[in-house]
Amino acid sequence: MNQFLTGRSFYVFTYGCQMNEHDSERIVGMLEACGAHRTDVFEDSEIVIFMTCCVREAADVRLRGQVNSIKNVPLPRTSELKKRVVCIGGCIGQRDGQQLIDDMHHVDVVFGTQNIERLPYLINGVLSRGGHIAEVQEESDTFSTDLPSKREHDWAAWLPITVGCNNFCTYCIVPYVRGRERSRAIESVVADAQALVAEGVQEITLLGQNVNSYGRDLYGEPRFADVLKGVAATGVPRLRFATSHPKDLTDEVIEAFGTLGNLMPALHLPVQSGSDAILKRMHRSYTVEHYLGLIDKLRAACPDISLSTDIIVGFPGETEEDFQATYDLVEKVGYSQVFTFIYSPREGTPAAKMKDDTPRSVIQERFERLVQMVQDKAYEQNQRFADRTLDVLVEGVSQRNDSIIAGRSPHNAMVHAPIPEGKTIEQLKGTIIPVHVDEAKTWYLSGTVVE
Ligand code: 5AD
Ligand code: SF4
């Protein structure tokens, strides 16, 4: 049925969040099932797929630049096609649809977040009949987890438990491009996890825009804590999850950090702002006091937990006092990592219509002040690992030096260590090995493999 795809080479660009990374793995799985093959060299591809993100404007603008920049790159010499097939999917595809083809005539296929299973058919249609096609769907009743998948790494798997979001934080475009929240049946999630463990997967990351509200749309309303327990019981060596909304983080989930041995001691808990007034305008539905209460409970349940967060600087109407409250919160919590973003108005969201008169230079200065604090705290947090021996899941080699292992500790800290003599990185990749930490830097720990 998709015979025009057989033998074709394709390249995938993935931007944005883990959900996109997971969708890309499904796309690779589907296209390979149709007889096409993935290439790691863009110039060798006959088909290119952009999996896009529109959460902030910078990514949006960059995407158009990138799509335009590949326009004149010739096809591989062996190809008999007239032109490379250019496909845009993900969140920008969902939002802009046909407009992308109208604006960039070399784009052939546009698809969205709700119909990735249609991609092989759409490409096949273009290869057989020519022309352009944009196909975007409002809501889907399938889950991408039903599609074939080709994991980026053998040892690590994303496992979506919900898709979409019902929270409508006022700055965020996600609910408009990923649709309403839907949960997968707990039995399917656990069955998938069992299959992954049987394949030798070392680390499963449960995914959802807000995993904590899992199950509200299902019969019997199973809770996220039940999913955690079910997946942990498969015996997967490492279990993680993302992302967690503070308003829905339950005591049961917090306690799981103390009781489930394979739930890794690391939690990403986006706070967004340390000012109650801003949190209210963001429609986050919690106060700073509530958030700090959660942090206390988490540290009581699991004293060694590493915390990370997301923060938006320059939300409309942010005063110096509001910013100072955010700065103080970051200092108080002591995060291992903070993803800091300058507020970016997204058309169609409520915040885009809010009065915003803080000068750009003031926001930039606040941002830089915050980043400095983030770094100081990350360094401080990492010191607790100095001289400890940690289990490290080897991911590959360091970007700068291919004789240095790069891997992750249970706390999700990056760990570097020289490859031991007589071993190769291929032997070590995907295995968990003990590393003694000799020195703790701001963004990584440097150590020696314990043999
Ligand atoms: N501007 C800046 N940052 C944003 N985020 C989401 N929407 C926006 C926006 N409009 C950030 C939030 C979220 C992270 C994934 O991206 O901090 O947690
Ligand atoms: Fe966006 Fe808020 Fe949903 Fe996260 S919880 S995806 S920030 S609307």
Side-chain angles (χ1 to χ4, degrees):
M1 214 172 148
N2 293 307
Q3 74 273 32
F4 291 95
L5 272 163
T6 310
R8 302 277 168 226
S9 53
F10 66 94
Y11 187 92
V12 187
F13 289 98
T14 306
Y15 306 94
C17 68
Q18 293 137 334
M19 204 56 96
N20 262 9
E21 288 185 29
H22 170 262
D23 282 350
S24 289
E25 291 185 346
R26 298 285 161 182
I27 283 171
V28 175
M30 276 190 301
L31 296 181
E32 290 197 346
C34 295
H37 59 274
R38 180 188 192 165
T39 156
D40 290 333
V41 181
F42 170 73
E43 285 74 10
D44 292 344
S45 68
E46 301 174 277
I47 300 165
V48 56
I49 299 119
F50 291 88
M51 286 301 282
T52 62
C53 167
C54 58
V55 80
R56 283 171 294 275
E57 192 184 1
D60 227 321
V61 174
R62 212 177 316 132
L63 188 262
R64 286 178 179 253
Q66 252 139 359
V67 176
N68 281 323
S69 76
I70 57 123
K71 194 169 167 179
N72 298 320
V73 179
L75 280 164
R77 242 178 293 138
T78 49
S79 176
E80 77 280 12
L81 296 183
K82 290 204 190 67
K83 81 179 270 299
R84 182 175 278 109
V85 179
V86 179
C87 312
I88 303 184
C91 295
I92 297 182
Q94 183 75 21
R95 187 194 59 190
D96 294 350
Q98 176 67 33
Q99 191 65 45
L100 291 162
I101 294 176
D102 295 347
D103 292 349
M104 297 181 283
H105 298 313
H106 66 301
V107 175
D108 302 282
V109 174
V110 175
F111 61 108
T113 57
Q114 308 293 314
N115 65 341
I116 68 171
E117 70 279 8
R118 292 278 301 153
L119 183 62
Y121 297 94
L122 300 175
I123 298 177
N124 200 57
V126 166
L127 285 171
S128 58
R129 293 186 297 274
H132 309 264
I133 180 147
E135 192 182 281
V136 174
Q137 197 174 305
E138 276 293 304
E139 291 276 311
S140 158
D141 44 15
T142 57
F143 281 100
S144 63
T145 38
D146 298 334
L147 305 172
S149 176
K150 180 74 187 286
R151 281 197 308 279
E152 194 68 35
H153 303 296
D154 292 339
W155 63 86
W158 309 114
L159 183 47
I161 64 165
T162 68
V163 292
C165 182
N166 290 349
N167 291 311
F168 290 96
C169 300
T170 54
Y171 50 81
C172 188
I173 192 88
V174 167
Y176 305 89
V177 288
R178 287 269 172 189
R180 291 297 68 70
E181 183 177 283
R182 289 183 299 128
S183 308
R184 296 180 62 213
I186 198 162
E187 296 79 9
S188 320
V189 174
V190 173
D192 282 0
Q194 272 160 348
L196 290 167
V197 172
E199 279 176 42
V201 163
Q202 300 288 312
E203 179 173 283
I204 293 179
T205 305
L206 304 176
L207 283 188
Q209 239 71 48
N210 173 14
V211 289
N212 294 326
S213 56
Y214 170 87
R216 290 191 187 152
D217 55 331
L218 297 179
Y219 177 74
E221 299 197 12
R223 284 176 306 194
F224 178 52
D226 303 326
V227 181
L228 272 183
K229 286 176 202 153
V231 175
T234 63
V236 63
R238 292 183 165 202
L239 175 58
R240 303 183 188 278
F241 59 86
T243 294
S244 228
H245 196 308
K247 80 178 165 64
D248 301 309
L249 181 62
T250 61
D251 287 350
E252 254 184 304
V253 171
I254 292 175
E255 280 154 24
F257 281 100
T259 53
L260 301 178
N262 47 0
L263 179 59
M264 293 294 100
L267 177 65
H268 184 62
L269 194 62
V271 67
Q272 311 297 357
S273 168
S275 150
D276 283 340
I278 296 284
L279 287 174
K280 196 159 189 188
R281 290 215 295 283
M282 286 177 163
H283 193 217
R284 291 289 289 177
S285 315
Y286 54 84
T287 60
V288 172
E289 193 187 348
H290 176 77
Y291 184 89
L292 291 175
L294 296 174
I295 301 292
D296 286 345
K297 285 195 217 170
L298 283 159
R299 289 211 161 115
C302 178
D304 200 29
I305 198 164
S306 280
L307 298 162
S308 58
T309 201
D310 291 343
I311 285 183
I312 298 178
V313 178
F315 186 79
E318 180 188 76
T319 63
E320 183 55 31
E321 289 73 48
D322 291 322
F323 172 73
Q324 191 61 46
T326 301
Y327 185 87
D328 292 346
L329 179 131
V330 169
E331 183 168 23
K332 191 163 183 174
V333 173
Y335 293 104
S336 299
Q337 197 173 18
V338 180
F339 299 91
T340 45
F341 307 105
I342 288 183
Y343 170 71
S344 165
R346 306 285 57 213
E347 205 184 312
T349 61
K353 293 191 212 81
M354 292 180 191
K355 192 156 162 260
D356 189 4
D357 50 14
T358 314
R360 189 79 196 175
S361 57
V362 172
I363 295 174
Q364 188 63 36
E365 185 278 326
R366 286 179 188 160
F367 182 80
E368 283 162 22
R369 232 187 310 156
L370 182 65
V371 167
Q372 187 57 55
M373 168 60 82
V374 166
Q375 281 180 16
D376 293 350
K377 285 286 154 182
Y379 179 78
E380 203 178 293
Q381 281 296 316
N382 260 354
Q383 296 316 306
R384 75 180 199 276
F385 300 121
D387 233 14
R388 274 168 65 177
T389 296
L390 304 174
D391 285 337
V392 173
L393 174 54
V394 179
E395 295 183 343
V397 288
S398 138
Q399 278 172 350
R400 293 216 203 108
N401 184 339
D402 61 13
S403 66
I404 303 279
I405 293 168
R408 297 265 166 196
S409 79
H411 319 81
N412 217 18
M414 175 57 78
V415 184
H416 287 178
I419 300 174
E421 228 164 282
K423 290 264 164 60
T424 67
I425 192 67
E426 289 312 320
Q427 290 168 328
L428 295 171
K429 247 190 212 177
T431 64
I432 297 177
I433 54 171
V435 174
H436 179 268
V437 178
D438 302 320
E439 197 184 351
K441 316 239 186 175
T442 303
W443 298 125
Y444 67 96
L445 308 170
S446 157
T448 322
V449 176
V450 180
E451 289 185 271

